[in-house]
């Protein structure tokens, strides 16, 4: 089997994945900022990285998956301005900032569970790692690449760029970046237009603050991820991910901080997921076009025609490759709902397929194509097309239009187990599972009654049962081993 190739934002091409210390892999993903509910766009990114985590595990890697919780230091403006989002929300909801953090962290985990994603190996919080962040800032200052002004500490981007390349991740020159940034005013403490805060001085009303060598304050958002990824994954680790919107500033600054601190590139492969959009506009908290997952599950939103099960929503997301944009619409969701039902129905049919002595299909080749799709930068879109080929084969075999051996049937079951359940992390909806179990029992009972009627030569009753089942949408297959059914 070929190796795994993934698109590295750093080199702007697909590269073969080589772990630093196989079979161990360090994977860091920027987690949610927990001052409000996650919207469906955020979920898309976390579901994409869950897929990447699951596939690496499936290939046999021992992955340490770190996904942080940003619970401090997020200001409203991109340029270290505005109120602290946590403090603002705490005031609005009349709660302690840590109550806000707890409320939205719990909500986030519940949603991730409904989407059947795996918990990360470590979920560090920014507030739990203040001393590590202070240590890192001290190191950057000792290396001459940060400066203090009135209790604030800033990263000196232009000085950094004399020895390193600040625009590495976006492939842009410093001059271009400077042109796109507004001039400093006389009141600015920063030396350069691109400088960003590592430590922010507390105002009298600031609630979340910590003592530091520069006085009471709180860390900048970017230093949080550098300190936490370094602590749990080391100075250089394998994969760092997040949404594309984090590439130009957050991740660019993370690289600069780490280089300035310990002079090595922190990450070998940078991976970025594309955005979920609504009518072509990026879904975001600030744009106010963010569906909450619970609104989607219940259908309780003016733009929604009905509610959708979490697995149908997840399937909708996975049908598009993680690097393509995905536009939300009722039609697309309804099509995915039908597609997902077809995939799961075929799985039920597969359980009752009767083997033939000969085979008309190359199932091993089909499974190989599933691996090829995933090895090609986690291409779930192609993978799902292969899975629908499996659905076609299963349904045709069930209609006696082609033959499958027992080995083929077992291989098809392994395709479902490996790709549908393990890698894509799909499952039958729990409500459906219960209904399915009840239906199985009732159908076994009805078919036994029909068999008994036949045995008693009551052919009128046995035909009636059969005809009524067919009229209700069931297919009944009689063979010498008994009767089976599909819906
Ligand atoms: P935040 O809580 O805003 O820091 O975002 C958490 C994650 O969701 C980050 O990796 C973002 O890049 C990602 N994200 C935000 N908006 C979207 C969107 N519309 N589509 C996909 N990912 C998004
Ligand atoms: Zn981050």
């Amino acid at each position: 089997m070929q190796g795994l190739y993934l698109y590295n934002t750093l080199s702007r091409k697909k590269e073969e994945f080589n772990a630093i210390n196989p079979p161990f892999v360090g994977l860091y993903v920027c987690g949610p900022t927990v001052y409000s509910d996650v919207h469906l766009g955020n979920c898309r990114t976390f579901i994409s990285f869950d897929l990447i985590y699951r596939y690496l595990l499936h290939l046999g890697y021992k992955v340490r998956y770190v996904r942080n919780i940003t619970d401090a230091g997020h200001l409203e403006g991109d340029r270290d301005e505005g109120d602290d989002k946590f403090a603002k929300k705490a005031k609005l909801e009349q709660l302690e900032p840590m109550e806000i953090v707890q409320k939205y962290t719990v909500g986030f985990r519940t949603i991730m569970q409904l989407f059947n994603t795996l918990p990360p190996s470590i979920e560090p919080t920014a507030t739990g790692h203040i001393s590590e962040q202070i240590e890192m800032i001290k190191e950057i200052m000792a290396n001459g690449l940060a400066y203090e002004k009135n209790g604030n500490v800033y990263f000196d981007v232009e000085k950094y760029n004399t020895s390193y390349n600040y625009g590495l991740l976006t492939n842009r020159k410093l001059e271009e970046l400077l042109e796109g940034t507004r001039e400093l005013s006389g009141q600015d403490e920063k030396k350069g237009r691109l400088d960003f805060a590592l430590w922010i001085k507390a105002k009298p009303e600031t609630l979340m603050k910590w003592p530091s060598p520069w006085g009471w304050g709180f860390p900048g958002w970017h230093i949080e991820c550098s300190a936490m990824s370094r602590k749990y994954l080391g100075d250089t680790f394998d994969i760092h991910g997040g949404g594309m919107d984090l590439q130009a500033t957050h991740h660019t600054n993370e690289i600069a901080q780490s280089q300035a601190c310990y002079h090595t590139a922190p990450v070998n492969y940078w991976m970025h997921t594309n955005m979920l959009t609504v009518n072509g506009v990026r879904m975001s908290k600030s744009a106010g076009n963010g569906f909450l997952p619970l609104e989607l599950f219940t259908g309780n939103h003016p733009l929604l025609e009905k509610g959708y099960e979490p697995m149908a929503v997840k399937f909708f997301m996975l049908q598009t490759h993680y690097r393509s944009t995905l536009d939300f619409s009722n039609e697309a969701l309804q099509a995915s709902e039908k597609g997902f039902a077809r995939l799961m129905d075929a799985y039920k049919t597969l359980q009752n397929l009767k083997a033939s002595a000969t085979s008309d299909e190359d199932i091993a080749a089909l499974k190989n194509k599933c691996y090829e799709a995933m090895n090609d930068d986690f291409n779930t879109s192609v993978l799902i097309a292969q899975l629908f080929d499996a659905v076609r084969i299963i349904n045709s075999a069930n209609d006696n239009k082609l033959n499958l051996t027992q080995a083929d049937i077992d291989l098809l079951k392994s395709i479902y187990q490996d790709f549908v359940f393990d890698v894509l992390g799909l499952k039958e909806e729990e409500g459906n599972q219960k209904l399915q179990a009840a239906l199985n029992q009732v159908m076994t009972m009805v078919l036994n009654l029909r068999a008994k009627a036949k045995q008693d030569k009551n052919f009128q009753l046995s035909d009636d049962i059969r005809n009524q089942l067919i009229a209700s949408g069931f297919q009944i297959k009689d063979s010498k081993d008994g009767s089976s059914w599909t819906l």
Side-chain angles (χ1 to χ4, degrees), residues 2 20 34 46 53 60 68 86 135 164 168 177 213 220 232 238-239 252 258 260 270 280 316 332 348 364 432 456 476:
Q2 66 178 77
I20 298 168
V34 286
F46 299 127
Y53 176 43
N68 73 291
F86 294 93
E135 280 315 305
Y164 302 94
L168 190 68
L177 294 170
Y232 296 110
D238 298 292
I239 305 174
T252 289
S258 301
W270 282 91
F316 159 71
K348 279 169 229 151
N432 281 350
D456 297 345
I476 308 298

Side-chain angles (χ1 to χ4, degrees), residues 224-297:
E224 298 176 357
C225 284
S226 290
M228 288 187 277
S229 59
R230 179 195 200 186
K231 171 155 180 163
Y232 296 110
L233 300 174
D235 284 359
T236 302
F237 59 94
D238 298 292
I239 305 174
H240 190 317
M244 266 181 187
D245 56 323
L246 302 185
Q247 184 186 340
T249 307
H250 184 55
H251 291 162
T252 289
N253 291 350
E254 273 190 52
I255 294 177
Q257 291 165 155
S258 301
Q259 293 269 23
C261 190
Y262 44 85
H263 313 291
T264 53
V267 175
N268 283 350
Y269 304 89
W270 282 91
M271 296 185 71
H272 290 99
T273 53
N274 212 325
M275 298 288 109
L276 181 72
T277 57
V278 186
N279 297 323
V281 178
R282 185 190 138 197
M283 189 178 277
S284 76
K285 287 171 191 165
S286 50
N289 63 354
F291 286 97
L292 301 186
L294 282 179
E295 291 170 340
L296 205 66
F297 303 155

Side-chain angles (χ1 to χ4, degrees), residues 302-361:
L303 282 181
L304 291 172
E305 286 168 13
K306 63 191 231 23
Y308 302 89
E309 299 278 4
M311 285 304 110
V313 178
K314 183 170 177 177
F315 190 68
F316 159 71
M317 299 204 209
L318 292 170
Q319 275 182 302
T320 300
H321 185 236
Y322 78 89
R323 279 196 296 114
S324 305
T325 50
L326 170 63
D327 200 48
F328 173 90
S329 74
N330 277 288
E331 298 73 52
L333 259 172
Q334 277 162 29
S336 295
E337 195 176 40
K338 285 204 188 103
F340 179 61
R342 229 155 59 78
L343 185 69
M344 298 316 269
D345 283 347
Y347 183 60
K348 279 169 229 151
T349 306
L350 179 61
Q351 308 312 311
N352 297 320
L353 272 191
K354 298 269 174 321
S356 305
T358 56
S359 171
D360 296 324
E361 292 284 340

